[in-house]
Amino acid sequence: MKRLIFSISIALSLITLSIAGCSSAAKSNQNAAEAESADAAMPAADFNADSAYAFVEAQCAFGPRVPGSDAHSRCGDYLVHQLKKYGAIVTEQKAKLKAFDGTTLNMRNIIASYNPNAEKRILLLAHWDCRPWADSDADPANHALPVMGANDGASGVGVLLEIARALHARQAQVGVDIMLVDDEDWGNHDGNEESWALGSQYWTKNMHIKGYRPAFGILLDMVGAYGAKFYQEYYSTAYAQSVVTEVWNIAHRLGYGAMFPKEQGGGITDDHVFVNRAGIPCIDIIDMRPGTEHGFFPHWHTTADTMQNIDPATLKAVGSVVLTLIYSM
């Protein structure tokens, strides 16, 4: 996963400037309170955390899913098989993309559609590839080793696979498209944001359905660690404030308020940035830790991003919130 563009304090300053003099602030707060009150009548969806954990574990069993590796190829086949098993119409996008370092990557985006005839649709996405280098590891000897990506990659996919299983058992009224994007984490920390999220960038220019326009999108990234904190990411609030409000209200109603603080986080270069630029409002549910050097969970881009640091309770919180939203629409 990507990089933190700016800190929470800077993001707060930017937002303060952007809303200075706005006469509708009080009304917005009132509307948010009313929405949260109405949401209290919504029943929570049943999300199986043990099943989601098993999906995360199954991905890691292949090894680091670095593009071009055998583990990447076999895991991709597994993901397609699981989604078809759970009744989805699956579309694959394959292309050769050039990474910032000149490496040619065989991209494989996997898109699963539920209730395909529904006019109103939402997009759920997560990246399924792993970073080739553990370049944030405390031990320089590990910097050339690949990252297992249990949290940074597999956790979001695991939650989406469990949502797919739930949708197969109980169809939602809204159409749901689950997109597992590739080549997200082969990026460079030099300020070039377009070196990240190559699979998403390709998709925005080559959508699987001509004129595809879901109501909104939700990106899940790093949603499985112990002690996770899902602050409201800056670009999410800038492009899709109403979706952020609805998601965080549901989280608080379900008792996950401590994990989903209604506080502004930093801006992240992630898949949702390019989805938003394509005209689809999209939010990022992503674990941010202001107290760490890089702003993410302690094992980010290290060899320690493994299953031992995955908490089923975190998967449960995120999955329950998203699934409850789906069944409420």
Side-chain angles (χ1 to χ4, degrees):
M1 198 238 64
K2 50 271 99 224
R3 59 196 182 92
L4 184 65
I5 304 298
F6 42 81
S7 69
I8 290 176
S9 60
I10 296 175
L12 281 168
S13 298
L14 288 174
I15 287 178
T16 300
L17 288 171
S18 70
I19 63 174
C22 178
S23 62
S24 62
K27 183 170 179 58
S28 296
N29 290 336
Q30 179 183 355
N31 289 343
E34 289 173 355
E36 187 166 9
S37 175
D39 190 49
M42 186 191 310
D46 184 19
F47 182 88
N48 190 317
D50 291 336
S51 178
Y53 184 92
F55 286 134
V56 178
E57 193 170 41
Q59 293 170 77
C60 292
F62 290 105
R65 284 80 59 213
V66 174
S69 68
D70 180 62
H72 182 267
S73 177
R74 289 187 296 115
C75 185
D77 292 343
Y78 162 79
L79 296 174
V80 170
H81 170 78
Q82 291 299 122
L83 290 166
K84 287 183 176 179
K85 174 182 174 182
Y86 296 134
I89 296 173
V90 178
T91 302
E92 293 188 62
Q93 290 185 324
K94 296 182 179 181
K96 293 185 181 298
L97 305 180
K98 191 73 72 175
F100 75 92
D101 59 357
T103 302
T104 298
L105 305 177
N106 291 318
M107 182 215 72
R108 186 180 187 183
N109 288 339
I110 302 167
I111 304 144
S113 295
Y114 288 90
N115 197 5
N117 296 323
E119 236 178 82
K120 186 174 184 181
R121 313 199 62 77
I122 63 172
L123 173 68
L124 307 177
L125 63 158
H127 78 90
W128 67 278
D129 61 304
C130 293
R131 187 156 178 79
W133 322 281
D135 46 353
S136 290
D137 203 286
D139 184 354
N142 291 336
H143 287 184
L145 298 178
V147 176
M148 178 59 77
N151 191 33
D152 191 1
S155 66
V157 174
V159 169
L160 293 185
L161 286 177
E162 176 56 19
I163 287 176
R165 192 177 74 87
L167 291 173
H168 183 47
R170 176 190 165 197
Q171 181 173 283
Q173 292 187 353
V174 68
V176 178
D177 301 300
I178 293 174
M179 183 163 67
L180 309 182
V181 291
D182 201 2
D183 297 350
E184 188 275 346
D185 229 346
W186 201 302
N188 188 18
H189 294 290
D190 66 349
N192 177 17
E193 63 181 6
E194 292 190 357
S195 68
W196 303 89
L198 300 183
S200 291
Q201 291 186 63
Y202 178 88
W203 177 80
T204 61
K205 299 176 180 69
N206 305 273
M207 291 188 182
H208 63 295
I209 296 175
K210 186 176 181 180
Y212 177 72
R213 278 295 179 271
F216 60 85
I218 298 177
L219 170 64
L220 304 183
D221 200 350
M222 307 192 303
V223 293
Y226 287 95
K229 288 286 186 181
F230 302 110
Y231 290 94
Q232 297 179 351
E233 190 272 338
Y234 172 73
Y235 294 112
S236 304
T237 59
Y239 285 95
Q241 178 63 67
S242 63
V243 183
V244 170
T245 298
E246 186 168 8
V247 168
W248 264 253
N249 281 348
I250 291 174
H252 281 245
R253 206 256 317 151
L254 296 182
Y256 300 122
M259 200 178 295
F260 284 78
K262 292 183 178 181
E263 300 173 26
Q264 185 69 41
I268 311 293
T269 297
D270 208 345
D271 294 295
H272 73 305
V273 169
F274 303 99
V275 174
N276 276 306
R277 289 178 184 172
I280 299 170
C282 187
I283 72 169
D284 193 0
I285 299 178
I286 183 168
D287 185 1
M288 287 186 271
R289 312 287 182 98
T292 62
E293 181 181 355
H294 40 64
F296 300 120
F297 71 107
H299 310 297
W300 177 73
H301 288 186
T302 73
T303 56
D305 184 4
T306 57
M307 285 304 301
Q308 67 181 0
N309 295 308
I310 297 297
D311 183 5
T314 304
L315 299 173
K316 174 76 171 179
V318 174
S320 297
V321 168
V322 176
L323 199 54
T324 298
L325 172 64
I326 292 171
Y327 286 133
S328 73
M329 297 180 66

